[in-house]
Amino acid sequence: MSEQSNFGPDLGEVFGPNHADGGPELVQLLTPEGERVEHPEFSFDLGDEAIKGFYRDMVLTRRIDTEATALQRHGELGIWAQLLGQEAAQIGSGRALRTQDFVFPTYREHGVAWCRDIDPLRLLGLFRGVDQGGWDPDDGNFGLYTIVIGAQTLHATGYAMGLQRDGVVGTGDQDRDAAVVAYFGDGASSQGDVNEAFIFAASYNAPVVFFCQNNQWAISEPIERQTRIPLYQRALGFGFPGVRVDGNDVLATYAVSQAALQRAREGQGPTLVEAYTYRMGAHTTTDDPTRYRLSEDLETWKLKDPIQRVKAYLTRNGLVDQAFFDEIETEAERLGEHLREGCRALPEPRVLDIFDYVYAEDTPELAEQKAGFAAYLDSFETTGAH
Amino acid sequence: MAKITLAKGLNAGIRKAMENDPKVLVMGEDVGKLGGVFRITDGLQKDFGEDRVIDSPLAESGILGTAVGMAMRGYRPVCEIQFDGFVYPAYDQIVSQVAKIHFRSQGKVTMPIVVRIPFGGGIGAVEHHSESPEAQFAHTPGLKVVACSNPVDGYWMIQQAIACDDPVIFLEPKRQYHADKAELDESTTPQPLFTSRVVREGSDLTLLAYGPMVKTAMASAEAAATEGKSIEVIDLRTLSPLDLAPVFASVRKTGRAVVAHEAHVNLGMGAEVASRITEACFYSLESPVLRVGGFDTPYPPSRIEEQWLPDLDRVLDAVDRSLAF
């Protein structure tokens, strides 16, 4: 993949000749062919029922994504950030969370939102332009989508420092000890904020898991533009462990996230998890990946599809019958309908309301602007409604 | 009643806020053992512990970004930016996160964060240590911006800012920290935070100032009085929101206004204040509202800063031009 450059080493060794394989450090528990494999350090400690649940989660998450993409194509959404291909990274890490844990997402964590019981309809508001985050972060402990790349990793670290001060870290009480997950991508790993978050988290031993979905592309820029070493290895320089996990393997992302979260909850500090995956879709619906990447890469990664390998595992081992798949398909249809109908029914924002959201304690200046604008609107008899 | 400096007033105010509310935290570079480079947080870590008075890594964006997370967890972080010119690494977190999260969440998430910034010049410092960035924050919806000018206000205003559920950029005139003392009577009821104050009455012209320029404005009014000119001085105190009702009342009485600040004049607070006075008091004005401030250059080397900073003579020059119009 990487070309020999006159200005640096051939990166083939660190990224692999074809970097799709993730290298020898990759933690994998379920192969692309659907075979269970063991790893000396990480194991999947749940049964087949959980795997069936993950399968359902991933199929429904993909449905949310395809439905939202279609809604954008129909002009119902202004834009949509697709997660196609990243379902296992999000469901595995999302299902490893406990109720008391807190999540700081980017704008692509639709699968994690699903795990936090956020109605996927709420995710559409931002992309439809009716709101800038339609849920209460304290419901489901899921922060608002953050668009400035990497900013939320510091929020996560600060929240984790708050947990320490609240005495809910390392008490040994499984229902009480909490951790935070900061989601971000390979592009964000170049941001100062992410590096500052690593430093703060290391310095205070904060209970935060930095969960990087390395989907290989920051819009058009490949991972080689962001880093000269595998991202997970950066953790070492900051003084905490880093793990590269097969981001398309839901068993492995669950196991690794679970271990990292447990470390954090127990007071052993931060971990960097690099979920090695691939953005199979575009950056967003406005992007055109054919301008900058090869279709053969996509074909390679299609063979590693996170959903197909679980399906292969379930089928090959006779763990499910056709009715199982039919039921999920029916559920997906209902979810699609919910999104299509719900999206069009999302209430339009009212322009006078925005004045009320600026401050917790209103200012006379803004009250005056609001009143003035209301009077102005009222002066148009024909369009007076607002 | 004790006589205190601005530094002591701020220190006592923060201490009081920490005593009253266990959720109040202090964060910043060197705020702990050292007590801050200006000693504003002196002794706080000793009394409240390292968990509440947090020496942070040297990363301003990190300070503000982690403060956001702590605020989401229910804390009230009081962040110290060591010097005005060092706030810019945190600018993105302040403008895109701190200022907007309440709005983004439609009021579900509050950001009770105070960003303390020692600002202004006149201390003979090297580059980046003498700036006046207030307009950049006052221009940002979602932030509130105040500037204290004296020890008593420092004591009360910092407590009020910490109690405020909105993010407050709290500007402290660093050259006043260890200068003039004033008597603090803790039994009095403080004036509300987001209000301006007439600090000297007069009838010929209204002189507006805040932060370090209040002292200069008072001295200018004193000097003008010896020449028979009666200057009314108003300490604006709050820059966002502005509290201009007392200003309008004053200008309607005097017919003339001069706004003074250390910040660059171009697109500075003076421009906004002048515009609002013109809109509200057009028929009362006897002359255009004039501005006195720093020139539109970067802050100069310290050996010439006294020439660059608006002083008594430059303020009086503007006063004279206004009266002669």
Side-chain angles (χ1 to χ4, degrees):
Chain A
M1 179 67 206
S2 56
E3 279 173 37
Q4 181 69 48
S5 158
N6 292 329
F7 300 98
D10 182 353
L11 295 176
E13 274 186 34
V14 282
F15 290 105
N18 175 351
H19 66 161
D21 74 354
E25 304 278 294
L26 192 78
V27 177
Q28 190 179 69
L29 299 176
L30 186 68
T31 68
E33 295 73 33
E35 286 165 20
R36 294 281 295 265
V37 286
E38 295 300 319
H39 187 275
E41 207 178 327
F42 299 97
S43 59
F44 182 73
D45 55 7
L46 301 179
D48 288 330
E49 278 310 305
I51 298 176
K52 290 200 269 186
F54 291 171
Y55 178 82
R56 171 182 170 270
D57 287 335
M58 290 197 291
V59 169
L60 296 179
T61 295
R62 182 168 289 186
R63 186 51 176 258
I64 294 166
D65 194 55
T66 48
E67 204 65 51
T69 303
L71 282 165
Q72 191 278 333
R73 298 296 183 226
H74 284 96
E76 298 294 340
L77 301 180
I79 191 172
W80 176 252
Q82 298 157 295
L83 65 59
L84 188 66
Q86 298 176 222
E87 294 87 351
Q90 296 195 12
I91 297 302
S93 58
R95 286 298 177 208
L97 295 162
R98 294 215 185 106
T99 313
Q100 68 269 25
D101 297 330
F102 203 100
V103 172
F104 284 84
T106 71
Y107 44 78
R108 207 189 293 279
E109 265 62 75
H110 320 313
V112 187
W114 173 258
C115 296
R116 298 311 267 176
D117 291 329
I118 306 288
D119 181 343
L121 196 52
R122 299 273 148 247
L123 307 176
L124 302 186
L126 171 71
F127 300 98
R128 187 171 166 83
V130 300
D131 60 47
Q132 292 168 332
W135 58 92
D136 186 335
D138 283 335
D139 296 341
N141 281 9
F142 187 76
L144 293 181
Y145 276 2
T146 302
I147 294 175
V148 176
I149 302 295
Q152 76 283 358
T153 57
L154 279 169
H155 307 166
T157 304
Y159 195 95
M161 290 165 67
L163 293 178
Q164 290 176 307
R165 280 155 183 78
D166 289 345
V168 292
V169 181
T171 69
D173 181 346
Q174 295 288 303
D175 297 324
R176 193 148 171 267
D177 285 348
V180 184
V181 183
Y183 286 90
F184 63 108
D186 43 296
S189 73
S190 296
Q191 287 281 0
D193 275 3
V194 172
N195 289 273
E196 291 187 22
F198 288 176
I199 288 165
F200 275 66
S203 179
Y204 301 117
N205 208 37
V208 56
V209 175
F210 294 107
F211 195 89
C212 177
Q213 289 168 83
N214 175 1
N215 68 13
Q216 316 298 332
W217 292 94
I219 305 189
S220 71
E221 299 198 356
I223 181 67
E224 291 88 341
R225 184 62 63 228
Q226 316 297 339
T227 185
R228 291 229 154 205
I229 60 163
L231 284 176
Y232 77 96
Q233 290 182 6
R234 284 198 187 163
L236 188 64
F238 290 92
F240 52 86
V243 185
R244 175 178 274 186
V245 61
D246 182 346
N248 287 17
D249 172 356
V250 72
L251 272 55
T253 54
Y254 175 88
V256 168
S257 303
Q258 162 85 350
L261 280 162
Q262 196 51 28
R263 268 192 92 243
R265 292 184 201 112
E266 285 170 2
Q268 297 180 61
T271 306
L272 171 61
V273 177
E274 179 192 5
Y276 201 78
T277 180
Y278 189 77
R279 198 194 71 207
M280 293 179 75
H283 164 67
T284 67
T285 46
T286 62
D287 180 32
D288 175 11
T290 64
R291 291 177 73 97
Y292 53 81
R293 70 182 187 189
L294 300 170
S295 57
E296 67 192 57
D297 277 2
L298 184 61
E299 294 310 314
T300 308
W301 279 91
K302 272 185 186 166
L303 301 174
K304 300 167 185 287
D305 186 274
I307 296 179
Q308 285 310 314
R309 71 175 73 180
V310 180
K311 188 173 190 177
Y313 169 76
L314 293 173
T315 314
R316 179 172 308 138
N317 293 288
L319 297 167
V320 293
D321 52 17
Q322 187 54 40
F324 171 80
F325 295 114
D326 292 346
E327 226 167 84
I328 292 175
E329 187 49 37
T330 308
E331 205 179 343
E333 284 301 326
R334 279 204 307 272
L335 182 59
E337 202 175 316
H338 170 61
L339 289 174
R340 284 192 301 277
E341 286 175 7
C343 179
R344 293 180 181 96
L346 282 173
E348 285 294 307
R350 293 175 304 179
V351 72
L352 289 179
D353 288 348
I354 65 172
F355 294 93
D356 302 332
Y357 303 144
V358 183
Y359 296 107
E361 300 172 15
D362 292 342
T363 69
E365 288 186 335
L366 216 45
E368 198 183 316
Q369 275 190 20
K370 180 182 178 178
F373 192 38
Y376 170 80
L377 292 174
D378 279 341
S379 71
F380 298 94
E381 280 180 356
T382 49
T383 58
H386 53 78
Chain B
M1 279 188 291
K3 277 198 133 190
I4 57 163
T5 58
L6 175 60
K8 290 277 185 230
L10 290 165
N11 181 274
I14 298 168
R15 175 178 290 276
K16 197 94 178 165
M18 295 188 79
E19 284 168 358
N20 291 342
D21 184 349
K23 293 292 186 184
V24 175
L25 306 175
V26 166
M27 317 171 54
E29 297 159 6
D30 306 300
V31 297
K33 278 206 175 63
L34 183 68
V37 294
F38 290 109
R39 308 293 182 267
I40 306 304
T41 55
D42 189 32
L44 296 179
Q45 192 183 64
K46 190 171 135 285
D47 294 339
F48 295 100
E50 291 184 11
D51 278 349
R52 292 191 65 194
V53 180
I54 306 167
D55 270 326
S56 71
L58 267 71
E60 287 79 8
S61 191
I63 295 169
L64 263 298
T66 52
V68 167
M70 292 208 217
M72 286 182 69
R73 186 66 199 174
Y75 287 90
R76 305 182 86 86
V78 181
C79 303
E80 176 173 306
I81 298 294
Q82 200 157 69
F83 284 89
D84 34 61
F86 303 160
V87 74
Y88 302 111
Y91 194 66
D92 174 62
Q93 283 288 346
I94 294 174
V95 169
S96 294
Q97 307 299 333
V98 174
K100 294 194 173 84
I101 284 176
H102 187 268
F103 186 81
R104 186 182 302 152
S105 68
Q106 300 178 341
K108 295 180 193 81
V109 184
T110 55
M111 281 288 122
I113 295 173
V114 174
V115 187
R116 293 184 37 246
I117 308 177
F119 85 126
I123 63 162
V126 295
E127 198 184 358
H128 313 300
H129 289 69
S130 306
E131 301 181 1
S132 298
E134 59 269 24
Q136 319 211 29
F137 298 109
H139 190 66
T140 303
L143 300 177
K144 290 177 175 174
V145 185
V146 300
C148 59
S149 66
N150 64 76
V152 176
D153 271 3
Y155 174 76
W156 292 116
M157 287 172 75
I158 190 66
Q159 293 181 66
Q160 293 167 319
I162 293 168
C164 181
D165 277 339
D166 291 305
V168 179
I169 306 294
F170 194 92
L171 298 159
E172 303 166 358
K174 68 171 81 76
R175 78 176 127 119
Q176 285 295 325
Y177 274 148
H178 304 286
D180 308 321
K181 289 187 176 182
E183 288 205 352
L184 172 66
D185 179 359
E186 290 178 58
S187 66
T188 57
T189 305
Q191 180 178 337
L193 180 59
F194 300 107
T195 55
S196 56
R197 179 197 298 141
V198 177
V199 287
R200 180 190 173 104
E201 293 196 359
S203 53
D204 295 333
L205 180 144
T206 304
L207 180 56
L208 305 164
Y210 55 86
M213 284 303 291
V214 173
K215 184 180 182 184
T216 310
M218 290 297 274
S220 305
E222 193 75 32
T226 63
E227 296 172 6
K229 298 164 194 163
S230 170
I231 310 289
E232 182 145 302
V233 181
I234 297 181
D235 182 351
L236 288 174
R237 296 182 359 122
T238 176
L239 306 181
S240 180
L242 280 162
D243 175 36
L244 295 182
V247 174
F248 297 156
S250 175
V251 173
R252 286 184 187 121
K253 177 177 73 177
T254 64
R256 298 169 200 276
V258 171
V259 197
H261 49 59
E262 287 190 15
H264 319 290
V265 165
N266 186 40
L267 294 171
M269 290 306 304
E272 180 63 24
V273 171
S275 171
R276 299 239 206 138
I277 290 173
T278 308
E279 282 180 35
C281 310
F282 189 71
Y283 289 109
S284 305
L285 285 172
E286 301 287 343
S287 78
V289 181
L290 297 183
R291 292 167 291 162
V292 192
F295 299 105
D296 295 320
T297 70
Y299 198 87
S302 61
R303 295 289 281 258
I304 51 170
E305 69 180 332
E306 295 302 339
Q307 289 172 265
W308 188 91
L309 288 167
D311 60 2
L312 181 144
D313 289 328
R314 292 238 305 274
V315 171
L316 286 178
D317 175 63
V319 166
D320 288 346
R321 281 188 286 127
S322 176
L323 290 170
F325 185 82

